[in-house]
């Protein structure tokens, strides 16, 4: 059965709205995706019917909320092919990387090496820079090829006896490139390094099995996966999480506390200090249920068709530069328009109701690699239609005329 984008759209109330008197064409889902009714309803239901703080109560609402929160952890675990004890709730993908980097950092020595790539988001760069500044850790950068792929030969050459961590994007938020995480993990492990994947983009577009990949750590955010903001996931192999020291201190993460001694809870609670994002976890659980009911292969084909349509229609546009043309890529089009600043392009598109992002996309090393200071980015999601892909190309063609 063909994928029914119209039926999907009907589940997203916000997509009914107009912008500047035109139907909204939302092509900024890589920054944050819109929310289906199922997610909104799950969070509203919890607030209206079954809400209290988790874990510490002996009353009915506390127990119900604890069940819902821990139930969400089970859903995430099943979604990733992991155990619930290997799933830590964080406030986002960014916090998850910070948690891992800070923990591993306590073991690293000056001269130890962390391998990143030129296509990383700042979320998977800055926490490792902290270790460079504070511990003298050396950062090594895998080059990106002209068409936007990781240079695997270069990656191999960077791996050595001092490589402790390899931290790479599973899918680039700018180039759309989908990296072969399993192969990268194998190479990292052969060098004796731990491997972390930034799955913030990849998780949205393809099934991820962390055990098959053999990732030590895998992180993502809820809000790009049609879930709420304020929630992220850190998956860590049980023994790797067990070896990490706590990140923040407070209630819920301890074993016992006295005036002169402290013991910590086992993972995952060791890493969940204080009242966690309860409603957000419930919302993420609902998002995962919602996605789980879809034919993900059909979704991927639909998104690919949207991208292919745009790419084909823009073929031969000599005023356009596309950044990222890897053979394995998702439905993200990053581009510059000759003679125009990306911000101006985005603002003109907005007048046509078309929402795209413009700027550095929190990926300054990548911008530098491609010799640009910014780019515009149209990112497609399952609720976009071919008509919207056309509306984008039409609006972009008109916008370009301003600068020609
Ligand atoms: N990594 C990638 C590849 C991303 O696209 C993003 C979000 N733009 C992040 C990390 C950071 O996610 P968050 O801001 O939700 O923590």
């Amino acid at each position: 059965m063909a994928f029914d984008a119209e039926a999907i759209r009907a589940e997203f109330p916000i997509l009914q709205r107009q912008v500047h008197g035109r139907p909204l064409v939302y092509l900024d889902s890589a920054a944050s995706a819109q929310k289906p009714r199922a997610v909104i309803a799950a969070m509203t239901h919890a607030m209206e019917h079954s809400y209290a703080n988790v874990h510490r109560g002996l009353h009915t609402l506390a127990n119900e909320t604890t069940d819902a929160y821990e139930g969400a952890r089970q859903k995430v675990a099943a979604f990733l092919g992991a155990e619930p004890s290997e799933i830590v709730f964080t406030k986002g993908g960014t916090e998850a990387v910070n948690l891992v980097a800070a923990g591993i950092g306590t073991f690293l020595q000056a001269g130890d090496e962390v391998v990143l790539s030129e296509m990383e988001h700042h979320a998977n760069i800055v926490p490792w820079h902290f270790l460079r500044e504070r511990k003298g850790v050396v950062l090594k950068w895998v080059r990106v090829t002209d068409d936007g792929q990781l240079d695997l030969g270069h990656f191999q050459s960077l791996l050595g006896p001092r490589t402790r961590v390899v931290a790479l994007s599973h899918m680039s938020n700018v180039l759309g490139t989908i990296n072969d995480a399993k192969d990268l993990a194998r190479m990292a492990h052969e060098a004796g390094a731990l491997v972390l994947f930034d799955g913030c983009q990849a998780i949205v577009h393809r099934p991820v099995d962390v055990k098959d990949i053999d990732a030590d750590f895998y992180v993502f955010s809820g809000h790009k996966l049609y879930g709420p903001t304020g929630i992220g996931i850190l998956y860590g192999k049980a023994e790797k999480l067990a070896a990490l020291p706590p990140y923040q201190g407070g209630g819920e993460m301890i074993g016992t506390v006295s005036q002169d001694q402290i013991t910590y809870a086992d993972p995952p609670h060791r890493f969940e200090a204080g009242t966690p994002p309860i409603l957000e976890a419930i919302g993420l659980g609902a998002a995962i249920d919602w996605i789980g009911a879809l034919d993900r292969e059909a979704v991927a084909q639909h998104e690919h068709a949207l991208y292919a349509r745009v790419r084909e229609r823009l073929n031969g546009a000599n005023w356009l530069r596309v950044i990222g043309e890897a053979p394995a890529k998702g439905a993200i089009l990053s581009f510059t328009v000759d003679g125009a600043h990306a911000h101006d392009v985005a603002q003109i598109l907005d007048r046509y109701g078309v929402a795209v992002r413009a700027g550095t996309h929190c990926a300054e090393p990548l911008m530098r690699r491609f010799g640009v200071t910014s780019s515009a980015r149209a990112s497609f999601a399952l609720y976009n239609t071919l008509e919207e892909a056309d509306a984008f190309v039409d609006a972009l063609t008109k916008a370009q005329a301003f600068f020609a």
Side-chain angles (χ1 to χ4, degrees):
M1 196 184 76
F3 180 76
D4 188 351
E6 287 302 336
I8 292 281
R9 284 180 77 70
E11 298 188 44
F12 288 77
I14 204 171
L15 297 179
Q16 306 304 316
R17 72 162 282 186
Q18 301 221 324
V19 170
H20 298 303
R22 295 174 189 256
L24 166 67
V25 177
Y26 188 75
L27 301 182
D28 197 19
S29 299
S32 203
Q34 302 299 348
K35 319 303 173 201
R37 263 196 198 92
V39 170
I40 301 166
M43 296 176 77
T44 306
H45 179 84
M47 283 185 277
E48 289 183 348
H49 296 282
S50 188
Y51 179 76
N53 211 332
V54 291
H55 296 143
R56 30 192 126 166
L58 291 172
H59 59 82
T60 301
L61 293 190
N63 290 336
E64 285 177 8
T65 312
T66 302
D67 286 349
Y69 178 71
E70 292 301 328
R73 195 190 308 277
Q74 285 170 6
K75 290 174 189 182
V76 175
F79 191 61
L80 293 176
E83 295 300 322
S85 57
E86 296 174 310
I87 303 299
V88 179
F89 286 122
T90 65
K91 83 173 168 67
T94 298
E95 189 179 56
V97 180
N98 274 277
L99 191 164
V100 173
I104 293 179
T106 60
F107 307 119
L108 297 189
Q109 316 280 328
D112 283 343
E113 295 168 3
V114 173
V115 175
L116 310 172
S117 86
E118 289 176 333
M119 70 168 78
E120 300 314 309
H121 186 283
H122 293 167
N124 194 29
I125 295 177
V126 181
W128 306 108
H129 261 305
F130 288 168
L131 301 187
R132 181 189 59 73
E133 288 183 336
R134 296 169 191 172
K135 307 279 297 203
V137 164
V138 177
L139 304 184
K140 303 256 174 165
W141 299 85
V142 186
R143 281 195 298 257
V144 168
T145 62
D146 288 344
D147 66 353
Q149 303 186 67
L150 287 183
D151 180 336
L152 292 182
H154 188 235
F155 176 46
Q156 185 68 64
S157 76
L158 294 181
L159 296 169
R162 297 299 300 267
T163 312
R164 299 285 176 257
V165 182
V166 170
L168 296 171
S169 167
H170 193 181
M171 173 177 168
S172 161
N173 63 312
V174 179
L175 305 166
T177 309
I178 297 169
N179 293 319
D180 184 341
K182 188 170 178 172
D183 202 38
L184 296 170
R186 181 188 53 74
M187 291 165 77
H189 287 149
E190 278 170 14
L194 289 168
V195 63
L196 172 145
F197 289 105
D198 171 356
C200 286
Q201 296 294 336
I203 195 78
V204 184
H205 302 286
R206 47 180 34 218
V208 169
D209 181 332
V210 289
K211 300 287 175 193
D212 182 55
I213 291 173
D214 199 19
D216 295 303
F217 301 102
Y218 194 98
V219 310
F220 67 90
S221 293
H223 66 96
K224 297 177 201 277
L225 192 63
Y226 310 105
T229 53
I231 184 95
I233 295 300
L234 164 62
Y235 157 79
K237 276 183 189 163
E239 69 274 16
K240 299 297 187 293
L241 283 182
L244 283 190
Y247 178 54
Q248 294 186 335
E252 297 293 315
M253 50 74 71
I254 46 88
T256 57
V257 181
S258 70
Q259 278 86 339
D260 50 15
Q261 250 187 349
I262 185 160
T263 61
Y264 301 119
D266 289 335
H269 297 108
R270 182 191 300 169
F271 305 107
E272 295 180 4
T275 299
I278 301 166
L279 293 164
E280 292 77 3
I282 291 170
L284 177 58
I288 285 174
D289 282 345
W290 183 80
I291 291 162
L294 302 173
D295 174 348
R296 295 199 82 191
E297 187 50 42
V299 170
Q301 280 177 20
H302 171 68
E303 291 176 349
H304 181 74
L306 298 172
Y307 181 80
R309 170 78 138 246
V310 166
R311 200 63 200 89
E312 189 202 308
R313 281 199 56 200
L314 289 170
N315 232 342
N318 59 6
W319 42 268
L320 186 82
R321 177 181 175 199
V322 174
I323 299 171
E325 305 242 48
K329 72 168 278 178
I332 288 181
L333 182 80
S334 287
F335 60 95
T336 58
V337 171
D338 281 357
H341 192 282
H343 286 168
D344 296 331
V345 174
Q347 278 178 5
I348 296 175
L349 290 178
D350 182 60
R351 304 303 298 183
Y352 293 98
V354 179
V356 301
R357 186 140 296 247
T360 63
H361 315 290
C362 297
E364 288 185 18
L366 189 69
M367 295 288 113
R368 207 161 295 126
R369 155 68 181 89
F370 282 94
V372 295
T373 51
S374 65
S375 75
R377 179 187 71 187
S379 52
F380 299 87
L382 43 64
Y383 42 60
N384 293 123
T385 62
L386 284 173
E387 292 72 30
E388 289 184 312
D390 285 338
F392 162 67
V393 175
D394 294 343
L396 182 61
T397 308
K398 286 184 199 142
Q400 184 271 333
F402 282 96
F403 304 104

